[in-house]
Amino acid sequence: MSFKNQSATSEYSLEFDPSNYTETAVTVNSKTVIYRAYEGIVYVKYPVDTTYQIMNIYVPVEYYEEGQSIGNYNASIDMSGDPNGALLALSKGYVVAAPGARGRTTQADNSLYTGKAPACIVDLKAAVRYLRYNKNLIPGDTEKIVSCGTSAGGAASSLIAATGNNKDYEPYLKVIGAANERDDVFAAQCYCPITNLDHADIAYEWLFNGINEYNGSTMTDNQITISSQLKSLFPAYVNSLGLVKGTELTLDADGDGTFKDYVKSFLIMSAQKALDDNTDLSALTWITITDGTVTDIDFSEYAGYATRLKAAPAFDGLDLSHAENGLFGSVTINAKHFTQFGMENSTVDSFLADEHIVKMLNPMNYIGAQETDTARYWRIRHGAVDRDTALAIPVILATKLDNEGFNVDFAIPWGQGHGGDYDLDELFTWIDNVCTPQPGNH
Ligand code: DHB
């Protein structure tokens, strides 16, 4: 579809058209699922980019009275490989909405950048608003929206779930003609969220300082020095958060303390579960096992076992070459720094991203904030050998949520690297559980 000739004054309708669908069948885990596929729906009145500001909505036919259908089906979603969350959701009778969003590489015909921050989160909010605006035309319960995503998508899921209805995003939503509706969601699944970007470099070096090999290369002397500088900045950040779990979670100047013990406790739980599942951990001498119980791990040995993926700084590249630099560009500038450290140590002509925009991309700033409707239920997973961001990042996210009174299911699956959708049975048990009102749940 192309709407390039659309005149500047015309607008797209926010009204969902229930008759514009293709009936489709897929087989998931030997079960044939028939559903209506509504695809390519522009979800704002004034789209900047109709390739990305569109949503696909899939509705199991059971929701429609005409019931079972017949005929030829047109399989429009990828059925190859392992079952994914969207297909399994359909097979379990969920309505699935898959929104696109502008991103860091999106450009207009005139080459101007159209998807720099905060465009991605603004678009996802607009998609949620569209669903609410059309709640009487689309089956499903818009008070039970569950956001799901992996990696950058896990970060997006955490951001939409943290920031519901916060006014910071309102001017951006107005510009694109988003529906005048609420944009909070009920629950969020976040697989390995690459989030809290403005503190991800210091968290990464707190974990990986001393490990100088990364992804087949060796850090330069300068990168090794930078690693130590970044590591030294992490305790002040952790201590500023005021996190509590039984005791205050803090770090001393060397990066040791109760916060570190708390991060370790999740690894110990993970190793214990692996052990209980008959995983042979005997070769991992940094894990202390006494009579079938994991009692301790050596944290620095763990980092060596997980291995470093990225050189320092891992996110705010000093030459602006990282994907995250591109996220924080502007209409005319491809990439910027988003930390003071990156700016001060920059090796290229550069700008520092607007503080307010950096704020809007970090869920930590909104969890439990005033006039914000943060999702009540969260499920966060980060693999024990996932080094795309430091383990401390999801721990901080989960703990902040917990401390602000939200319901968090957080774990570090043993042996799991960077990825998602690897525990779909457990995920759907969780979703079914939080979506079904029960005593103590609401
Ligand atoms: C993703 C992975 C990264 O390591 C990163 O820095 C940003 C995004 C991803 O897989 O989406």
Side-chain angles (χ1 to χ4, degrees):
M1 248 188 304
S2 172
F3 297 94
K4 293 247 159 67
N5 296 327
Q6 192 82 17
S7 84
T9 50
S10 68
E11 60 180 56
Y12 283 76
S13 170
L14 290 177
E15 199 84 13
F16 177 76
D17 176 1
S19 69
N20 191 12
Y21 64 88
T22 313
E23 197 160 275
T24 304
V26 292
T27 304
V28 185
N29 295 340
S30 323
K31 180 178 167 191
T32 298
V33 184
I34 304 169
Y35 59 94
R36 291 185 180 184
Y38 296 90
E39 297 187 309
I41 303 165
V42 175
Y43 54 69
V44 289
K45 278 197 278 191
Y46 315 121
V48 177
D49 188 318
T50 53
T51 310
Y52 292 102
Q53 291 173 302
I54 55 174
M55 174 157 51
N56 297 341
I57 300 174
Y58 303 106
V59 187
V61 284
E62 286 78 8
Y63 283 95
Y64 301 98
E65 286 193 342
E66 50 269 42
Q68 299 312 307
S69 53
I70 44 164
N72 296 321
Y73 301 114
N74 153 20
S76 62
I77 34 185
D78 182 13
M79 284 308 306
S80 55
D82 296 331
N84 63 47
L87 284 178
L88 204 57
L90 267 179
S91 78
K92 288 174 182 288
Y94 288 86
V95 174
V96 174
R102 290 167 294 165
R104 62 190 166 81
T105 57
T106 315
Q107 281 175 283
D109 289 346
N110 61 8
S111 299
L112 294 179
Y113 296 106
T114 53
K116 300 300 187 183
C120 55
I121 180 62
V122 171
D123 285 356
L124 295 178
K125 282 175 173 287
V128 170
R129 288 176 173 215
Y130 180 93
L131 293 173
R132 279 221 170 82
Y133 185 79
N134 290 291
K135 68 180 175 211
N136 295 326
L137 297 171
I138 307 170
D141 180 356
T142 51
E143 294 310 301
K144 295 280 170 62
I145 296 174
V146 183
S147 65
C148 294
T150 299
S151 195
S157 179
S158 70
L159 195 54
I160 194 144
T163 61
N165 306 323
N166 186 281
K167 291 281 177 283
D168 283 355
Y169 306 87
E170 192 62 42
Y172 299 89
L173 287 157
K174 276 221 161 60
V175 168
I176 58 174
N180 190 15
E181 291 284 343
R182 286 166 34 223
D183 53 53
D184 57 295
V185 301
F186 177 70
Q189 162 69 45
C190 311
Y191 284 110
C192 52
I194 306 283
T195 190
N196 198 351
L197 295 174
D198 39 332
H199 303 102
D201 287 329
I202 58 179
Y204 206 80
E205 299 317 316
W206 172 72
L207 183 58
F208 289 113
N209 181 257
I211 293 162
N212 300 329
E213 307 295 317
Y214 70 100
N215 204 27
S217 300
T218 304
M219 293 210 292
T220 63
D221 288 347
N222 190 40
Q223 287 169 328
I224 291 168
T225 302
I226 284 167
S227 168
S228 294
Q229 290 171 339
L230 287 166
K231 178 189 174 185
S232 74
L233 299 174
F234 189 61
Y237 171 62
V238 167
N239 297 342
S240 78
L241 293 171
L243 300 175
V244 179
K245 201 65 196 178
T247 181
E248 277 181 44
L249 302 176
T250 59
L251 293 175
D252 65 20
D254 295 329
D256 293 318
T258 49
F259 176 79
K260 185 171 178 173
D261 296 338
Y262 190 53
V263 176
K264 265 175 64 169
S265 73
F266 286 102
L267 282 167
I268 289 171
M269 272 188 275
S270 174
Q272 183 69 55
K273 185 163 186 298
L275 197 62
D276 295 345
D277 293 344
N278 296 320
T279 309
D280 182 3
L281 302 178
S282 59
L284 305 178
T285 51
W286 48 277
I287 303 179
T288 310
I289 301 170
T290 314
D291 296 333
T293 300
V294 179
T295 52
D296 197 14
I297 60 152
D298 183 315
F299 199 64
S300 54
E301 293 278 332
Y302 156 71
Y305 168 76
T307 73
R308 173 194 280 275
L309 178 66
K310 301 170 178 186
F315 295 90
D316 190 352
L318 299 184
D319 62 357
L320 298 179
S321 64
H322 291 345
E324 288 76 11
N325 296 113
L327 175 64
F328 289 106
S330 64
V331 173
T332 54
I333 299 169
N334 183 38
K336 293 186 184 181
H337 289 296
F338 50 93
T339 64
Q340 204 67 44
F341 185 93
M343 190 65 203
E344 282 167 11
N345 293 278
S346 189
T347 57
V348 292
D349 281 344
S350 56
F351 295 89
L352 184 59
D354 185 301
E355 199 180 343
H356 187 61
I357 291 178
V358 178
K359 179 196 172 202
M360 279 192 284
L361 262 283
N362 190 340
M364 291 294 294
N365 299 315
Y366 295 93
I367 294 163
Q370 290 205 330
E371 295 182 46
T372 307
D373 299 302
T374 300
R376 191 186 293 232
Y377 297 101
W378 294 69
R379 185 174 187 272
I380 303 171
R381 292 291 181 274
H382 178 104
V385 287
D386 184 340
R387 325 89 82 220
D388 279 59
T389 196
L391 190 47
I393 292 295
V395 171
I396 286 171
L397 176 66
T399 312
K400 171 80 178 165
L401 285 161
D402 171 86
N403 285 186
E404 294 291 341
F406 299 98
N407 183 311
V408 191
D409 176 333
F410 173 59
I412 302 171
W414 190 257
Q416 180 64 49
H418 193 60
D421 283 13
Y422 44 75
D423 55 358
L424 291 173
D425 287 345
E426 289 164 50
L427 169 59
F428 280 98
T429 300
W430 178 80
I431 295 177
D432 287 346
N433 192 36
V434 301
C435 288
T436 309
Q438 15 183 284
N441 217 4
H442 289 263

